[in-house]
Amino acid sequence: MNKLKKVFLLIIALVAIILPSTTAYAISGPLWDSNTVPTSRQKDRLLDNADLLTNEEEADILAKLDAASQKYNSNIVIVTVDDYRDYGSYGSDPQGFADDYFDYNGFGSDYNESGLLFMLSMEDRSWAFSTSGTAIDVFTDYGQDELIDTMLPYLSDGRYYDAFDHFISATDRYYSAYANGNAIDVNNDPKTAKEILGYIPLSLIIGLILALIPVLAMKSQLDTVHMKPNAAGYQSHQGLNMRIHEDRFIRSHVSHTPRPQSSSSGYSGSRGGYHGGSSVHHSSSGHSHGGSHGHF
């Protein structure tokens, strides 16, 4: 009986030692099965590996990602990890990791390879966009810069559900603009009705200040003026002095100076200068992607 107890305790001890290492391996292991691009989508459109959302929030965000993907015929994906550098050679930079996660999990197998992926890595607080197919043209370099600027306040405050919800909602504006033949870009950044209304109070205040400046200046010049008792007080006593003045036309000279032409590109965003359109690179699988990355 004592031998059985010892054997039983030994088995428990071995399980206690092996189980944590197995769990750690599962968490830090690769997020895709192989280095080949599958012919079908392998994962849900949301992977919260960093556990930033509650179960209810995950279900809500996933449902919204699925609905938006079907609406725009483009896989819209969100993935969070503790540290993208835990994934071997694929962790060389957040952009490369985002591209490979999209490719090796088969997100390009639907909708003619069109898709947008947003990735968060919490260890170094990095983010990355990866675009593919039609989404490369929908989300230009300028458009990505604008989109992340609207998400950063939520990310910096740790409001990840709000950031992801805003990300999904904002895609409607980008796809709508692209469908109308004008992707959001350097020289085409249509504002929403809410954004336009937000400028009205500021415009009124600036206009009031500009109108008051000349009025107050004219008023200050009249402070030394006093009413005269009769009309004679307003009469000038210097008299009237008239002289003959004659103008003669001699010659004319006309010179032409080219008007400087303003450039139609060269927007300088918060992460670099953009000249319109989308820059494209190739992932480790050889597929073309657009994208950008940074820190929050």
Side-chain angles (χ1 to χ4, degrees), residues 34-52:
S34 66
N35 298 354
T36 59
V37 178
T39 57
S40 61
R41 181 162 58 90
Q42 304 296 301
K43 294 185 181 296
D44 288 334
R45 295 182 175 98
L46 171 66
L47 177 68
D48 184 24
N49 215 29
D51 200 22
L52 303 180

Side-chain angles (χ1 to χ4, degrees), residues 54-70:
T54 65
N55 292 336
E56 293 77 11
E57 289 173 339
E58 282 190 30
D60 182 63
I61 291 297
L62 178 57
K64 291 179 177 178
L65 287 171
D66 289 340
S69 298
Q70 295 171 11

